[in-house]
Amino acid sequence: MKILLTGGAGYIGSHTAVELASAGYEVVIADNFSNSSPVVIDRLETITGKRFPLYEINVADKAALEKVFEENKIDAVIHFAGFKSVGESVKVPLSYYRNNIDTTLSLMEVMDKFGCKNLIFSSSATVYGKRASLPYREDMETGPCTNPYGWTKLFIEQIITDHAKADPDFSAVLLRYFNPVGAHESGLIGEDPKDIPNNLVPYIARVAVGTLPYLSVFGNDYPTKDGTGIRDYIHVTDLAKGHTAAVNFAKNHKGTEIINLGTGNGTSVLEMVKAYSAASGKDIPYKIAPRREGDIAECYADATKAMELLGWKTDLSVDDMCRDSWNWQSKNPNGYK
Ligand code: WQD
């Protein structure tokens, strides 16, 4: 089977390419490198021994996307391409709605034209909004989202769901990621945010490697075990294996299935700082700062459905995440640059 990864040179996409290849799938990558690096393609060849066909295109460009489908018989698509910064989405909402929804509509129209009926979508736990009770379950109500990025994910889930209702042969699997962190064990690929990281672990990694002076802990007065925010961090390799499990499941599936990809466990900011310091052998200086707008106190998955439906669960621990993140960061202090 040949799988197209839109945004396949990105953080989650590149790790998924590795796991799909090792499971025997053929991989094609479409990416415009707006938030990734062409170096990733070389690194993927080093890891897998395969040079994946690459189309440097904007997925919203239907003519360019049709060329991919003309030149490859695509059996399924995993749609990673999209802007993903919560903070940036608040500053430039129109570009987030334009980009994330246009890429999806163009992709689905081209898939329809070429009779490709199998879509796996990179969604996010952020669609559960602020109201959700813990642990988050797939059958819970969603929204209201706390930022435009989250709304784009929720709108795209609805677009895909409506299309799957209209086409009884269509299979859609919507994967709601919790907090992906870590890197491939080789240290050749990893998370490489464009600017100052918004997310906790890549920020800690920069402090550990010395390119940032200290971490600001956004609030220590939350109603949690140590007052700091709790999240369900998932190793990116476990997450990638969840995509392979979803591709296998989708072979005999029609309709729409929503599945959480998380560990089911919560870790606080201060626990993550301690784990990273132990994994890297580096002191991680931090200062307590005010809460960040839009943050919630606690969030973690009910991971039951992924186990029941996909036969998949996470294996790697927070210590593994920190070890592999540090291995990547220390070998690539400036990312892919
Ligand atoms: C985690 C915890 C912060 C940075 C977001 C998106 C989600 C997904 C993952 C894309 C919180 C605290 C953080 C820092 C801190 N992205 N923190 N200092 O906000 O849970 O989720 O990223 O899909 O959709 O919503 O992740 O890593 O930003 O924050 O104290 O410098 O770390 O307050 O408690 P978040 P995060």
Side-chain angles (χ1 to χ4, degrees):
M1 272 180 78
K2 193 172 277 190
I3 319 287
L4 169 63
L5 307 186
T6 71
Y11 176 43
I12 316 292
S14 56
H15 286 80
T16 301
V18 170
E19 298 307 327
L20 285 171
S22 73
Y25 290 103
E26 287 185 80
V27 170
V28 176
I29 289 176
D31 203 304
N32 65 358
F33 301 121
S34 64
N35 191 24
S36 56
S37 165
V39 170
V40 169
I41 306 301
D42 303 327
R43 300 286 180 92
L44 288 173
E45 185 174 12
T46 305
I47 294 170
T48 66
K50 297 184 176 79
R51 189 145 192 98
F52 300 126
L54 166 71
Y55 290 81
E56 185 174 353
I57 61 167
N58 181 333
V59 172
D61 176 349
K62 287 176 72 173
L65 197 56
E66 288 189 10
K67 189 166 178 288
V68 180
F69 282 78
E70 281 156 6
E71 295 179 358
N72 301 273
K73 185 188 173 312
I74 302 295
D75 298 296
V77 180
I78 306 182
H79 182 34
F80 294 105
F83 296 160
K84 65 168 193 175
S85 165
V86 167
E88 188 183 56
S89 77
V90 174
K91 294 187 188 111
V92 285
L94 293 184
S95 75
Y96 268 67
Y97 288 117
R98 170 62 69 191
N99 181 72
N100 290 5
I101 292 170
D102 265 10
T103 49
T104 304
L105 290 173
S106 297
L107 171 66
M108 294 180 73
E109 287 169 345
V110 171
M111 286 177 71
D112 198 41
K113 179 173 179 179
F114 285 84
C116 180
K117 307 260 182 190
N118 200 324
L119 176 60
I120 293 170
F121 173 57
S122 164
S123 190
S124 168
T126 201
V127 304
Y128 287 106
K130 286 181 90 108
R131 284 179 320 187
S133 58
L134 292 169
Y136 289 1
R137 267 194 344 276
E138 293 89 347
D139 60 359
M140 279 177 167
E141 264 192 73
T142 50
C145 297
T146 57
N147 55 78
Y149 159 77
W151 280 117
T152 67
K153 291 296 187 183
L154 192 53
F155 293 159
I156 292 166
E157 285 196 2
Q158 189 59 53
I159 290 165
I160 295 170
T161 301
D162 288 343
H163 178 70
K165 276 186 195 144
D167 178 353
D169 293 327
F170 200 84
S171 165
V173 179
L174 312 179
L175 299 176
R176 289 178 178 168
Y177 307 162
F178 281 71
N179 289 59
V181 297
H184 185 261
E185 60 187 1
S186 65
L188 287 169
I189 55 175
E191 191 169 11
D192 182 24
K194 270 187 299 192
D195 312 308
I196 303 276
N198 297 301
N199 296 141
L200 178 68
V201 172
Y203 199 105
I204 292 175
R206 299 275 181 94
V207 173
V209 82
T211 52
L212 286 170
Y214 64 89
L215 170 74
S216 296
V217 174
F218 297 146
N220 67 344
D221 58 350
Y222 284 104
T224 62
K225 52 187 145 180
D226 62 14
T228 63
I230 289 176
R231 296 293 185 273
D232 185 334
Y233 298 97
I234 173 172
H235 196 295
V236 66
T237 294
D238 274 334
L239 185 70
K241 288 177 177 173
H243 287 74
T244 303
V247 168
N248 296 335
F249 162 78
K251 287 173 190 167
N252 306 298
H253 167 256
K254 301 292 179 213
T256 299
E257 205 64 66
I258 297 174
I259 302 175
N260 286 337
L261 293 186
T263 67
N265 305 310
T267 302
S268 78
V269 174
L270 292 181
E271 286 173 331
M272 190 58 86
V273 168
K274 187 167 175 233
Y276 210 100
S277 185
S280 61
K282 303 285 184 183
D283 184 33
I284 310 290
Y286 66 85
K287 294 178 182 173
I288 303 298
R291 292 183 178 188
R292 180 172 64 178
E293 181 67 30
D295 271 356
I296 54 176
E298 195 164 359
C299 159
Y300 56 89
D302 178 325
T304 315
K305 186 172 179 182
M307 186 60 215
E308 286 172 353
L309 217 53
L310 306 182
W312 170 90
K313 65 172 184 58
T314 56
D315 295 320
L316 297 167
S317 68
V318 167
D319 292 338
D320 294 326
M321 296 172 209
C322 293
R323 178 201 63 218
D324 293 339
S325 168
W326 175 242
N327 183 38
W328 149 256
Q329 194 70 59
S330 55
K331 287 177 177 172
N332 303 273
N334 298 308
Y336 291 112
K337 293 169 193 63

